[in-house]
Structure formats: structure tokens, C-alpha cells
Amino acid sequence: MSILETERRRDEELSPERLLHDDPKPAAGKVAVFQYLSVAVFVFLISGFWKLQVQNPDVYSEAAERNRIKSTPLLAPRGKILDRDGRVIVDNKASYSLLLNRDQIKWEHLPAIADAMHLDYDELARKIRRMGSSPQIIIKDQLTRDEIAFVESHRDSSSYPEMDLIRAWRRQYPQDGFAAHVVGYVGEISESELDSPAFIDYRQGDLIGKDGLEREYDTRLRGIDGQERVLVDNMGRERQMETQKEAVPGKDLQTTLDLDLQAVAELAMEGKRGAVVALNPQNGEVLAMVSRPAFDPNKFTGRISRSDWTEIAEDKYKPLLNRAIQAQLAPGSTFKPIMAIAGLESGVIDDKTEFHCSGGASFYGHYFACHLKQGHGAISVHRAIAQSCDVFFYNVGNRLGIDRIAHYADLAGIGRKTGIDLPNETQGTMPSTKWKLRMSRQKWYAGETISVAIGQGAVTVSPLQIVSALGGLGVGGEWYKPHLVRTDKPVLLRKANFNPDNWQDVLSGMCAVVNEGGTGRAAQLPGITICGKTGTAQVAATERTKGAKLKSDLANNAWFVAFGPKENPEIAVVALFENGQESYNAVPIVRDILKAYFDKKARMLHPEVTQAQPAIARMLLSIPVMGDLQAAGLRGLSR
């Protein structure tokens, strides 16, 4: 083939007509891909614009605002807790806390911050992740001077901009567990509490009342936090104040407690286990409440250390238990005045009914001993209360039957909550035929009533229940709701229409306990007629207490309940001395509190006596008491 022919064919292959007839599919595919990508980018931009401008404008505007405005909380101080005379029991102390701003947190800074604040890094990291929704996170309270100096020198925008120092208020409680179970303590709200409808207005990191009055009146005490808003530049430096919403302090809480009586009760229970409650039976005001062993609420104000918590949690005597309202123990012979009024009102006995006590008696094939081995001889209701004869009340209980006993005990408040304004009060137990059927699906046997008749068996009470029951009996059969916060409207829970003669018979027997050589004679006060009832309650059967190692913890509990004066009782006091062995060991505790009450009343009514007539004053105040009253009133209190 010639050279010309070859060139001609090549030109034909490259001619425009041939090019137009080539396959167009590759080019069309590329164009389609480009078009789809363009549409996808456009849709993405439109969706972002929609979210930004239409769907969530507030969220993004707030985020932009945070880049320009720095918000810092102003923490509100909690209200103070005061006694009935306005003296401070619980106060606040100014301190400083370290706050981290979430938007500025740099994780590489956290190890150094944790080290300077003496915090565990892993625990700090977990806290920050757990509080993911919070714009600010308080990581440590009650900073020391060295820690404050570290924050002040490192919180600028070039080093640790996430750190901020805020003023906080540390709760300051009395020392040595003074009134700890009454006032309670505060702590950081837990995850489970945040899930509860009762805490719907709270946030992570908030401090709330955890027990006692702090919990019961948390809403009143907590206050409302404020906020400070500051304009910052693009480097995070503060430029000028924008707005400031002041914090609203919580309201003070005035209680019915009398610090003088509380101090005497605390000293009287020093070194003992048990509880003391003093109240006014005419209106239910609680004047003093002590539970021992106690705990130090100051350890809970920040984040309690693991060692402190372990020590408290593993203590076999349970210092967090408020024995005054949560102990469920047999009342022993303090139950006998209720038995006496039940027997008299039911007509199964009268003031002349006598039973013979030879040191014990047999019922339903079992022998039941009296506490006095040689017996009391022929004995009626007056002397039976005064001498606490078990045999007399065995017979009364046998005649009454369990359901009539339960009726009068329920009227006095045994086996039901008092309704005091404290959390976690227990109910106690008053057995009956219905109760046993409900609890164990068994019938009640008559032989079981014999033990109940002297406050043993299945019957259990708290100290508050028994002092409320006998105090209400002392004022003629009126039971008021016990309360710890002052109110102008006491609540009458129940009222009995006792025969006046029957009531006087019981009251006379209780006065004989103290004033006629009875089991509580050590509680006598000159010029004041005190009525009362002792009680010794078994913790375990006698055969279990023979071993020396068991005896201390399984010894009998000692009770004493008293009120005075007889004609118009103003104060009723109970002392529970756990493992106190004999009831007479509880009598001096109550006596000291009664003396402190009436001494203070005398000083207030007749100040001229104590100032102008020291000889008469010494005579009025001559009875020894466990420690000086005024010193006791100041011991361990926040000022």
C-alpha cells in the first residue's frame, strides 16, 4: 500500500463524523456522578441551614452566646437552724470551690489539676463524664489556701482557662455529734434521687438534705442560686459585667428544741448507748432528742472520705440509726400504766382488786416469774404500779385478752407512727389476733398475752412512742402530734374519754413510783411532784446471757419515763439505756433533764431570786446535776 493511501485511511478514522458516532456512555456517566454530588452537597447545606435557623435556633444561639458570655453560679446559703430561743444550732461558713467550665475543658490539663487539688484523676474523669449535661462542674469544695493560690495563678486563658473559683457555703454543724440525728446533714444528690419525682427541680451536683431536719425541710432551707454573666473576648479574658442575679438565701428554721435541755441530755448519755426524748405533752413540742452513739455531720458536708464512711458503716452499734424514732424494742414495765388504764376502763379490775404475788404465777401450763423473787404479797393497782409487780399485770392481761389490750395501746399510739417531722420513723408493733393472722397466718394463743401484759413478747416501741403515750396519759388522755418546728397550731391526734377516777388511780400509781419509795424514787425533785414509770426489758432469754462474752450486748435494756408536775404536766421525758441492765440506771438521766427544765423556768420567772437572794437561789439549785448546765449549753455548739 502506498504512503498516500495510508494517510488517507488515517484521516478517515480521525474524521469528525467518525468521532460523532463513538459510544457516548462513559461521558454521560461522569456527568451523572457530578450532578448527584452537586445535589448531595446542596441538600447537606440546606439541612444544616434548616437545623441552624429553623429547627434549633435557641441551641446554637446559646452556644454562640457562651463563646461571648461567661456565666458563673452564685451559690445561695442554706437557712440556719435555730433553737426555740433563736440560738444558732446549724450555721454556714464561707469557703471556696473549684469549678470547671465544660466548654473549655482540655483533657490534657486534668492530670495537673487533679494533682494540685489532691484528687484521684480517674474519679475526676468519671465525674466529668457523668455530668455530661452540666455546663459547669464543681470538682472540689472547701479549698485550702494552697489550692486557692494554684487556681488564682493558673486560671488565665493561656494556662488553665477551664478553672474558675466560686464562693460557696459550707454547712457548719455542732461538734461531737451534738443533736446530729435531729438536724441531719447535707450531701451531693445521688443518681437514684435525681430519678425520683420528689427531686424533679434538682440538678446533678446539687447539695440536698440527706437526713433529719435538713431533709425534711430541704425546700425551705435550700434557697435559690444566682448567676453572674461576664463579657469575654476571643481569648477568654473577662472584659465587663453583663448582668448579675443575686442568690436568695434559704429561710431560717426555728425549732422547738431547747439548747440547754439538749446539752444536759447529751451529757447524760455520754458513754452510753440509747436515746433520750423530752417533749411538752400539752402540744407535742420536742424539747430535746438524743441518740447515741452519734456521728459527726461535718464529715458529710463535702464528700465523705472512704475511711470515714467505712468506719461509720461497719460500726456494729449503727451510729446513723436514730434510736429515738427508729429503735424497735420491748418497752418492759413502762407499758404497765397502759395496762392499768385498760383494765380499769374495761371493768376487769377496780382500785380495790387484789392479786397475790408469791414471786411468780402459772398460766396455761407455764410459770411466769415476777422481778421480785420473794413476791409482793397481796397487791392492788396503786402499789402494783409503784412497785412494778409483774404478777398483778399478768392477771390483768389474762382477764383483758390481747384485743382489748391492743385497743387501749393503739389509743395511746403504741404500734403506730407518731408523725413527727423527721424522715424514716418506724412504726413499732402492737400485737393482736388480726396482726398475728396477717403476719404468720396463725391464731393468737392466750398464753402469749401474759408476756405482752408486762411489755415483753411481740410488743415493740420507739422511745418517742412511749414518751408520747405516757405523756398523753398524764394530761388526761390527749395525744398531740410530736413536732420539731415551731407552729401556732398543735395537732391533736386522739382524745380519750377516761373515767376521771380511773385516770386518777393510774396517775396516783405513777406518782408513787417516784414519791412513795417506788422503783423511780431517785427522780424526786423538791417542790415538784414528778410521776413516772421504770422498765427493765429483756434483750434475750436468760439462758443465752450466761456466757461472759455475750452478757454485755445481751444485758437488759433500762427504761424510765417521767412527767411533771402532776397537776398539769409541762414536760415528759424518756431515757432508754441500752444494755443498762436495771431500770434504776436510766432514772438519773431523766432526773437531770427534769431538773434542768424546772431550774431554767425558775430563773426565767424569778430572775431577782438568783441575783438578789443568792442563799435562796442556792437552795433552789442545790441538787447536783451531771455537769454545769451553762457549760453544757455551750459545749460543742456552733457560734
Side-chain angles (χ1 to χ4, degrees):
M1 182 181 294
S2 65
I3 294 175
L4 290 175
E5 185 66 23
T6 303
E7 290 180 354
R8 184 179 63 80
R9 289 183 177 181
R10 186 180 62 187
D11 291 342
E12 288 178 355
E13 292 174 357
L14 296 176
S15 65
E17 290 80 3
R18 185 168 181 86
L19 289 174
L20 288 174
H21 288 85
D22 285 344
D23 187 5
K25 290 181 180 180
K30 293 177 181 179
V31 170
V33 170
F34 177 76
Q35 289 174 337
Y36 284 126
L37 286 174
S38 300
V39 171
V41 171
F42 181 75
V43 169
F44 176 77
L45 293 174
I46 290 297
S47 64
F49 177 80
W50 175 266
K51 288 182 180 180
L52 184 65
Q53 297 294 332
V54 180
Q55 189 174 6
N56 297 309
D58 294 337
V59 173
Y60 292 101
S61 63
E62 183 180 345
E65 185 75 3
R66 284 201 300 267
N67 292 330
R68 190 178 70 88
I69 301 294
K70 177 183 174 183
S71 295
T72 304
L74 300 175
L75 304 182
R78 288 176 73 85
K80 299 176 183 178
I81 299 179
L82 314 172
D83 88 331
R84 63 188 302 108
D85 298 319
R87 293 174 289 183
V88 177
I89 302 175
V90 179
D91 205 346
N92 300 299
K93 182 179 180 181
S95 64
Y96 286 93
S97 297
L98 176 59
L99 176 148
L100 297 185
N101 293 294
R102 173 170 293 284
D103 291 345
Q104 296 174 297
I105 289 178
K106 296 183 179 179
W107 286 91
E108 61 269 22
H109 292 171
L110 292 184
I113 294 174
D115 183 61
M117 296 296 111
H118 307 95
L119 298 172
D120 180 80
Y121 170 76
D122 293 332
E123 188 173 336
L124 174 59
R126 282 195 298 270
K127 183 173 185 177
I128 292 173
R129 293 189 181 99
R130 187 176 68 249
M131 301 180 67
S133 60
S134 302
Q136 289 109 5
I137 305 166
I138 295 176
I139 64 168
K140 188 169 186 182
D141 298 307
Q142 304 169 35
L143 300 186
T144 64
R145 290 184 179 180
D146 290 341
E147 291 167 345
I148 292 173
F150 174 84
V151 177
E152 290 285 10
S153 61
H154 290 85
R155 64 172 177 165
D156 58 275
S157 57
S158 61
S159 53
Y160 299 106
E162 58 265 76
M163 292 196 307
D164 214 343
L165 202 62
I166 62 170
R167 190 180 188 188
W169 300 95
R170 177 189 176 188
R171 210 61 165 151
Q172 191 171 30
Y173 297 101
Q175 299 298 313
D176 302 322
F178 186 98
H181 294 89
V182 179
V183 298
Y185 60 94
V186 296
E188 186 176 326
I189 190 168
S190 66
E191 294 290 338
S192 60
E193 287 167 332
L194 281 170
D195 293 336
S196 170
F199 298 97
I200 192 171
D201 295 329
Y202 293 73
R203 300 170 300 174
Q204 282 183 323
D206 283 350
L207 290 180
I208 63 168
K210 291 285 188 176
D211 201 6
L213 292 173
E214 291 278 27
R215 183 179 183 96
E216 190 74 12
Y217 292 95
D218 183 70
T219 304
R220 186 188 301 188
L221 289 166
R222 68 181 297 217
I224 302 173
D225 292 343
Q227 189 179 57
E228 182 181 81
R229 292 164 59 88
V230 179
L231 182 68
V232 295
D233 60 19
N234 61 346
M235 299 296 293
R237 292 173 295 202
E238 297 180 2
R239 290 305 183 187
Q240 68 181 50
M241 178 77 68
E242 281 287 299
T243 58
Q244 181 167 322
K245 178 185 176 183
E246 295 292 340
V248 179
K251 296 178 181 179
D252 292 345
L253 195 69
Q254 186 166 23
T255 69
T256 60
L257 292 175
D258 185 318
L259 274 182
D260 297 317
L261 296 190
Q262 183 73 25
V264 172
E266 296 276 358
L267 287 175
M269 289 300 295
E270 193 166 357
K272 303 177 180 69
R273 281 183 289 108
V276 168
V277 180
L279 56 78
N280 183 343
Q282 298 181 22
N283 56 23
E285 291 184 349
V286 176
L287 306 174
M289 180 180 285
V290 176
S291 177
R292 288 298 178 100
F295 62 95
D296 185 1
N298 293 293
K299 293 181 178 180
F300 292 86
T301 54
R303 189 176 184 89
I304 188 169
S305 68
R306 186 170 300 174
S307 59
D308 285 338
W309 174 249
T310 301
E311 180 183 358
I312 292 172
E314 294 182 356
D315 190 327
K316 68 177 181 178
Y317 295 124
K318 301 179 180 179
L320 291 177
L321 180 73
N322 185 353
R323 286 166 164 77
I325 65 170
Q326 294 177 317
Q328 296 188 51
L329 301 169
S333 294
T334 60
F335 190 67
K336 289 175 180 176
I338 298 173
M339 288 293 302
I341 195 67
L344 291 166
E345 286 291 301
S346 299
V348 300
I349 61 169
D350 58 31
D351 61 332
K352 296 181 177 59
T353 301
E354 288 187 351
F355 297 104
H356 183 79
C357 173
S358 59
S362 294
F363 297 90
Y364 306 102
H366 293 277
Y367 182 78
F368 294 85
C370 184
H371 72 89
L372 191 64
K373 292 183 179 179
Q374 63 270 31
H376 294 91
I379 191 166
S380 62
V381 65
H382 178 86
R383 197 161 69 89
I385 296 174
Q387 300 296 326
S388 198
C389 176
D390 292 332
V391 170
F392 181 91
F393 288 100
Y394 291 150
N395 283 279
V396 174
N398 190 43
R399 289 188 178 187
L400 279 169
I402 190 61
D403 286 334
R404 278 197 287 192
I405 296 173
H407 169 74
Y408 285 95
D410 179 73
L411 183 62
I414 304 299
R416 62 165 73 197
K417 295 181 181 180
T418 67
I420 190 172
D421 46 348
L422 285 177
N424 306 316
E425 182 187 10
T426 56
Q427 184 169 313
T429 302
M430 183 58 230
S432 65
T433 53
K434 290 182 179 179
W435 171 85
K436 188 175 182 184
L437 192 61
R438 184 178 67 252
M439 297 299 294
S440 62
R441 299 186 181 279
Q442 295 179 354
K443 73 173 186 176
W444 183 269
Y445 294 97
E448 297 176 274
T449 306
I450 308 304
S451 295
V452 171
I454 61 165
Q456 296 281 175
V459 61
T460 62
V461 299
S462 69
L464 177 62
Q465 283 176 322
I466 195 66
V467 73
S468 177
L470 297 192
L473 184 61
V475 296
E478 293 183 351
W479 290 273
Y480 286 87
K481 182 179 179 179
H483 56 278
L484 279 156
V485 172
R486 297 293 295 269
T487 176
D488 296 329
K489 297 180 179 180
V491 178
L492 179 63
L493 298 174
R494 295 171 302 280
K495 181 177 176 65
N497 295 314
F498 293 142
N499 181 309
D501 293 336
N502 293 335
W503 173 68
Q504 282 292 340
D505 288 339
V506 176
L507 198 63
S508 175
M510 294 183 71
C511 289
V513 169
V514 177
N515 302 288
E516 297 179 18
T519 54
R521 54 189 174 274
Q524 291 183 43
L525 293 178
I528 300 169
T529 305
I530 300 297
C531 304
K533 187 67 195 78
T534 55
T536 303
Q538 283 186 332
V539 175
T542 305
E543 58 270 16
R544 292 187 59 197
T545 61
K546 291 180 179 178
K549 292 183 179 180
L550 292 174
K551 198 166 185 179
S552 61
D553 285 349
L554 295 180
N556 295 337
N557 291 329
W559 290 89
F560 184 53
V561 185
F563 54 80
K566 174 185 176 182
E567 295 74 21
N568 190 26
E570 303 169 15
I571 180 173
V573 186
V574 62
L576 163 65
F577 184 179
E578 284 188 19
N579 309 128
Q581 298 189 359
E582 297 295 339
S583 60
Y584 57 73
N585 290 320
V587 175
I589 300 171
V590 174
R591 172 182 169 273
D592 284 346
I593 298 166
L594 290 170
K595 181 186 183 307
Y597 174 85
F598 289 110
D599 282 353
K600 181 175 181 177
K601 182 181 178 181
R603 288 195 299 270
M604 294 177 68
L605 291 175
H606 305 288
E608 71 283 356
V609 172
T610 57
Q611 296 175 6
Q613 302 180 48
I616 298 176
R618 285 196 297 271
M619 180 185 69
L620 290 174
L621 308 178
S622 60
I623 304 173
V625 70
M626 294 179 65
D628 180 73
L629 176 62
Q630 292 182 348
L634 297 175
R635 180 183 175 91
L637 298 180
S638 299
R639 291 297 183 191

